[in-house]
């Protein structure tokens, strides 16, 4: 892994050059970032964003792989595609707030911060580590939970990521949404995103976007389901990127001791914060 400002970042796509490129990136006022802690629904928002920005034109999601369509701020691909991006540009990032480029702070660019129940994202991450050959073996689930709680995982501690963005004070430049909100009512989530971005799309457009961003539609879209990635990087025989797409799978993985440990660490780390978590943590 690469170490960057105390965080572990995955190799291959992240290089010191790409991180420097991200720091010097000239953010435009019209840019929109989908920011997440890994496994919170990044690729889902990556699919929704350009459709909201282009009024539901499906061409990009069926012709351009997601990593070029909505590039990662911190990954090396950005330098190759940046000149082809048309304004308003959509980007994704796993950066905590403090690692965003200086030009982001001075811009009017917007952010959609997607968060997910940490118990489910640790399960999702556990399986992702099994299939992503560029990541280290997660070990047992028990070991992986410990690593997660100690922040010895990609992009560091979940609680630090949450604190950085929840306290970012970006006013109307930031919208918070949960993975669970999106699961419960995707058209309502798309409507919120559309209003946040000043696109008051018709109900017909909202429904169309939601339909094309369902789990089933994305899982079968070769431009979004990572089937174009060679097996040496992602092995679909071990697990799938589009694995289950549900809330509450943690119940099939945590024993009572792990749950108590998990809850107590998370609650302790968030003690005194001015925000509260949108999930029942017990
Ligand atoms: P699971 O492993 O729990 O299935 P990220 O994109 O941040 O890496 O997050 C990946 C998780 O989001 C995976 O969770 C994946 O299945 C889920 N996901 C992606 N698109 C989805 C969709 N359209 N509906 C529901 N879940 C989705």
């Amino acid at each position: 892994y690469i170490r960057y400002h105390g965080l572990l970042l995955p190799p291959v796509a992240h290089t010191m050059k790409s991180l420097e490129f991200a720091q010097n990136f000239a953010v435009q006022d019209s840019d929109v970032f989908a920011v997440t802690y890994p496994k919170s629904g990044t690729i889902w928002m990556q699919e929704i964003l350009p459709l909201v920005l282009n009024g539901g034109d499906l061409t990009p999601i069926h012709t351009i792989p997601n990593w070029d369509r909505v590039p990662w701020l911190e990954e090396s691909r950005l330098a190759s595609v940046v000149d082809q991006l048309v304004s308003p540009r959509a980007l994704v990032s796993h950066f905590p707030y403090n690692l965003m480029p200086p030009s982001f702070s001075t811009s009017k660019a917007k952010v959609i911060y997607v968060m997910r129940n940490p118990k489910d994202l640790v399960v999702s991450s556990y399986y992702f580590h099994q299939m992503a050959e560029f990541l280290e073996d997660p070990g047992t689930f028990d070991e992986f939970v410990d690593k997660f709680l100690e922040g010895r995982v990609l992009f560091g501690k979940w609680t630090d990521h949450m604190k950085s963005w929840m306290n970012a004070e970006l006013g109307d430049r930031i919208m918070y949404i949960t993975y669970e909100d999106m699961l419960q009512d995707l058209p309502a989530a798309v409507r919120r995103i559309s209003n946040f971005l000043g696109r008051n799309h018709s109900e017909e457009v909202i429904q169309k976007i939601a339909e094309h961003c369902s789990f089933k539609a994305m899982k079968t879209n070769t431009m979004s389901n990572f089937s174009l990635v060679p097996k040496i990087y992602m092995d679909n025989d071990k697990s799938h990127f589009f694995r289950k797409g549900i809330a509450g799978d943690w119940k099939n993985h945590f024993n009572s001791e792990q749950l108590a440990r998990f809850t107590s660490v998370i609650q302790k780390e968030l003690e005194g914060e001015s925000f509260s978590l949108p999930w029942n943590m017990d």
Side-chain angles (χ1 to χ4, degrees):
Y1 291 170
I2 291 183
R3 195 170 270 282
Y4 183 62
H5 292 267
L7 297 185
L8 295 175
L9 269 51
V12 189
H14 299 77
T15 60
M16 288 325 283
K17 210 170 149 198
S18 76
L19 295 164
E20 194 184 318
F21 191 84
Q23 273 311 302
N24 296 323
F25 188 66
V27 174
Q28 298 174 358
D29 286 343
S30 54
D31 288 347
V32 185
F33 290 84
V35 179
T36 62
Y37 182 84
K39 310 318 286 178
S40 301
T42 330
I43 302 303
W44 199 358
M45 191 54 76
Q46 186 185 40
E47 196 90 344
I48 297 172
L49 256 188
L51 295 182
V52 170
L53 291 173
N54 75 15
D57 175 2
L58 301 177
T59 316
I61 69 162
H62 289 138
T63 54
I64 311 172
N66 56 9
W67 53 83
D68 284 347
R69 189 193 321 140
V70 180
W72 291 83
L73 174 61
E74 54 270 28
E75 293 191 359
S76 33
R77 225 27 226 152
L78 179 59
S80 331
V81 295
V82 68
D83 293 337
Q84 292 146 41
L85 300 176
V86 284
S87 173
R89 308 182 298 189
L91 294 108
V92 276
S93 179
H94 283 321
F95 272 157
Y97 180 52
N98 54 302
L99 291 186
M100 291 298 280
S103 64
F104 170 77
S105 314
T106 51
S107 76
K108 295 192 175 95
K110 291 191 166 181
V111 175
I112 300 178
Y113 187 63
V114 187
M115 45 201 169
R116 183 178 189 185
N117 186 329
K119 288 180 286 193
D120 278 333
L121 75 80
V122 80
V123 171
S124 178
S125 188
Y126 178 67
Y127 286 101
F128 185 60
H129 276 71
Q130 292 181 350
M131 63 99 64
E133 301 289 5
F134 54 93
L135 299 180
E136 63 178 29
D137 185 281
T140 63
F141 184 65
D142 199 56
E143 286 163 349
F144 192 68
V145 166
D146 271 343
K147 274 193 198 170
F148 177 82
L149 292 175
E150 288 163 18
R152 289 185 287 122
V153 284
L154 305 176
F155 291 90
K157 276 190 188 173
W158 176 79
T159 45
D160 286 344
H161 205 277
M162 283 288 283
K163 284 187 228 178
S164 82
W165 282 102
M166 295 303 269
N167 296 324
E169 294 188 348
L170 287 168
D172 59 7
R173 287 178 56 198
I174 188 161
M175 173 184 142
Y176 298 96
I177 191 163
T178 65
Y179 176 92
E180 294 77 12
D181 286 339
M182 290 162 66
L183 262 188
Q184 202 186 4
D185 190 343
L186 189 54
V190 174
R191 204 174 298 119
R192 262 190 76 198
I193 295 160
S194 150
N195 293 342
F196 171 66
L197 298 177
R199 313 289 200 286
N200 298 309
H201 292 316
S202 68
E203 207 44 39
E204 194 190 335
V205 169
I206 300 286
Q207 293 295 338
K208 180 178 172 191
I209 295 173
E211 194 184 311
H212 286 274
C213 295
S214 70
F215 184 78
K216 204 170 147 208
M218 288 183 65
K219 194 179 166 81
T220 49
N221 179 2
T222 50
M223 291 295 146
S224 307
N225 65 10
F226 295 105
S227 58
L228 299 176
V229 174
K231 199 173 169 166
I232 52 158
Y233 294 122
M234 285 192 189
D235 189 346
N236 278 291
D237 291 339
K238 294 187 177 160
S239 183
H240 294 284
F241 187 91
F242 288 84
R243 196 183 57 92
K244 283 196 177 174
I246 59 168
D249 195 31
W250 64 267
K251 291 176 191 148
N252 302 317
H253 293 81
F254 279 71
N255 63 32
S256 54
E257 185 276 323
Q258 287 159 345
L259 182 60
R261 181 158 42 110
F262 194 89
T263 307
S264 109
V265 171
I266 300 282
Q267 282 175 344
K268 193 155 176 261
E269 298 215 344
L270 295 180
E271 225 167 55
E273 289 300 320
S274 56
F275 62 91
S276 49
L277 297 180
W279 316 275
N280 175 4
M281 289 305 292
D282 297 326

